[in-house]
Structure formats: C-alpha cells, structure tokens
Amino acid sequence: MAATERRVVLVTGGGTGIGAAVTRLLAAGGDQVVICGRREAPLRAVAEETRAQVEAHVVVADVSEAEGVARVVDGTIATFGRLDGLVVNHGIIHVGRVDEVTPEQWDDTIRVNLTSPFLLVRAALPYLLAARGAVVAVSSVAALRASDGMAAYSASKAGLLLLTQSLAVDHGRDGLRANAVCPGWTATEMGDMEMAELGAERGISTADAYRLATAVVPQRRAAHPDEIAATVGWLLSDAASYVNGVVLPVDGGSCIVDPGTLALDPRVSVDLSSPRHSPRHQEP
C-alpha cells in the first residue's frame, strides 16, 4: 500500500496504557497514527517505539479544552490531509460516592470523559464522513455495572456509550461506524497505581492485589493492554464492516458473574459485622 493510501487514525491518550498499545498495533499494521495527550515525554516514547514501522505523529494537546481539540484535529488534517479513524481513549477518575463527590469533581469528570469526546467527534466528523471512517470509544465496565465510590466516573462513561451509539444512528447511513469497548481490569500504569493502593490497604503486593481484584473474574486475571488494543483494531478494520453501535465488554467475563451467587464461592468472605453490610432498619 502506498504511503498516500495509508489510513490515518487519531488516538487520544496515546502515551500510556491502552492508547499506547493501540498506537503500536496500528503502526505495525502500516497506519499513520496521530497520538495526543497532555504530557510530551510519554508520547515521544511511544513514537520512538513505532519508528521501525510507521512513526507515530505526536501532538501535545489537552482535548478537554476546545483549543486542544482544534489543535489536534486541524494538525492532523494539515499533516496528512485526511482522517480515517478516531480512538477516544482519554479520561479521568474522581473516586467517591454520590454524597462524597464534589460538584467541582463531578463537572471535571463530565467535562473530560463526556463533553470532550463530544467536542472531539464533532470537530473530526466532516473528515471521518469523507473517509467513511470509524470511531471507537474506550469506555469501561464501570459504564455497565455500578460499583461503590464510582458515581461520577460510571455516569460519565455510561454517557460516552450513548454518545457513541447516537453517532452510529445519526451517521451510519453516511458510511460512518461507531462502536465502544468496555475494558475490565487492565494491567496499565493506571491499573498498577490502583492495585498498589489496594495492596497498601490490605498489606499485600501489587501482584497479589491484581489477583484479589480478579478473583471472581472467570478468566482469573487482568487483561493485557494488547488484548484491548486488538479489539479496538478489529473494530476499526474492514473485518468489522457491519458492526455498528456495539458496546463490547472486554473484561474476561466479569460482567456475566451473578453477585448473588458469590456467597456460595468458598473464596469469598464478607464481614457481616461491618456497618456497610448491616440492615438499614433494625427492630428495636
């Protein structure tokens, strides 16, 4: 394939984790990849890794701001003249229950995880339509199942799913495809940080924290970023030409587990004396 015929794919959050894995996969397949993020050093490191194939093009930009969105989309078109694919991979987490998350944290989460993808897709849409291209949003299993202390994150990632499906409905007739993946626990830099915190709380290693967190996942392990990237790459490809508006969990089966049966699992133990697990109303 001639260089001028290569697909051009924009990957947000391309400097680490799933975004970096997607970038390496696409570049190895001959795509021109534009990676963006707020920190230049990780982006440059990923670009260096892809140099043997097709070196990724780096744009330092904060796509949670309109100026950053314009910089990365306009820069992509100025450099390559086209845009065939968009991988929306950036996001933030503010941990807390509904009564703990501040309005400022809520607004920040919605702005980065939901409003930013809307602005990015809206700016890229004319070029994606011209290419009859594809969008893949990286959401989370937290968008499919509620969990303790994840109110803002789960709401924002659930909104991203419906934004993606709205894009599929609105523009499927124009040749655009839009799908979403929902990863479970994945061994990324962010995952390592969360497991280190869990390990510190429990007095165990990060590796043991991963084993604890995935103990009831049918595959009994976290995903490797390359496994998520492979799914994203497939959804971008012609092999998925009639896949549109799909929400695809890539979670080792964690979403299919019935929590009501966990009490029957000999590996599971719950402290019934904890106030969190006590009945809300007790007889006097």
Side-chain angles (χ1 to χ4, degrees), residues 63-82:
V63 291
S64 69
E65 303 291 344
E67 180 183 354
V69 169
R71 182 182 305 127
V72 70
V73 174
D74 292 348
T76 298
I77 300 305
T79 302
F80 298 107
R82 62 185 296 164

Side-chain angles (χ1 to χ4, degrees), residues 70-242:
R71 182 182 305 127
V72 70
V73 174
D74 292 348
T76 298
I77 300 305
T79 302
F80 298 107
R82 62 185 296 164
L83 181 60
D84 301 273
L86 172 62
V87 179
V88 181
N89 176 65
H90 61 286
I92 61 170
I93 298 177
H94 285 296
V95 177
R97 300 178 188 175
V98 172
D99 60 339
E100 296 170 337
V101 173
T102 67
E104 293 77 18
Q105 290 173 327
W106 175 271
D107 288 345
D108 192 33
T109 304
I110 298 299
R111 177 177 60 85
V112 175
N113 294 359
L114 185 54
T115 304
S116 171
F118 163 73
L119 294 174
L120 184 63
V121 166
R122 195 170 187 274
L125 193 54
Y127 310 106
L128 291 168
L129 291 177
R132 299 179 71 85
V135 176
V136 178
V138 180
S139 184
S140 169
V141 293
L144 305 174
R145 302 289 186 272
S147 56
D148 191 50
M150 299 293 283
Y153 182 75
S154 292
S156 67
K157 286 296 190 177
L160 180 60
L161 296 183
L162 267 294
L163 172 63
T164 304
Q165 290 183 323
S166 294
L167 188 61
V169 170
D170 289 346
H171 295 287
R173 73 199 75 176
D174 305 317
L176 182 76
R177 295 185 301 106
N179 297 288
V181 296
C182 292
W185 281 117
T186 307
T188 63
E189 292 85 342
M190 181 178 292
D192 290 348
M193 290 175 58
E194 293 182 80
M195 290 301 103
E197 292 178 4
L198 174 61
E201 292 174 1
R202 300 295 182 91
I204 58 178
S205 68
T206 298
D208 283 342
Y210 267 116
R211 283 191 282 271
L212 176 63
T214 59
V216 296
V217 174
Q219 287 189 239
R220 301 292 193 268
R221 65 175 178 85
H224 189 280
D226 289 347
E227 294 177 296
I228 313 300
T231 307
V232 172
W234 176 72
L235 287 171
L236 288 171
S237 76
D238 289 340
S241 59
Y242 202 59

Side-chain angles (χ1 to χ4, degrees), residues 7-84:
R7 289 191 311 178
V8 177
V9 182
L10 169 59
V11 180
T12 68
T16 58
I18 293 170
V22 170
T23 299
R24 289 189 290 265
L25 176 76
L26 297 178
D31 292 325
Q32 297 279 6
V33 187
V34 179
I35 52 175
C36 71
R38 292 179 295 180
R39 296 180 296 147
E40 184 172 5
L43 296 171
R44 294 292 178 194
V46 172
E48 181 66 26
E49 291 179 39
T50 66
R51 179 169 291 181
Q53 294 90 30
V54 180
E55 185 175 358
H57 180 73
V58 171
V59 179
V60 180
D62 182 356
V63 291
S64 69
E65 303 291 344
E67 180 183 354
V69 169
R71 182 182 305 127
V72 70
V73 174
D74 292 348
T76 298
I77 300 305
T79 302
F80 298 107
R82 62 185 296 164
L83 181 60
D84 301 273

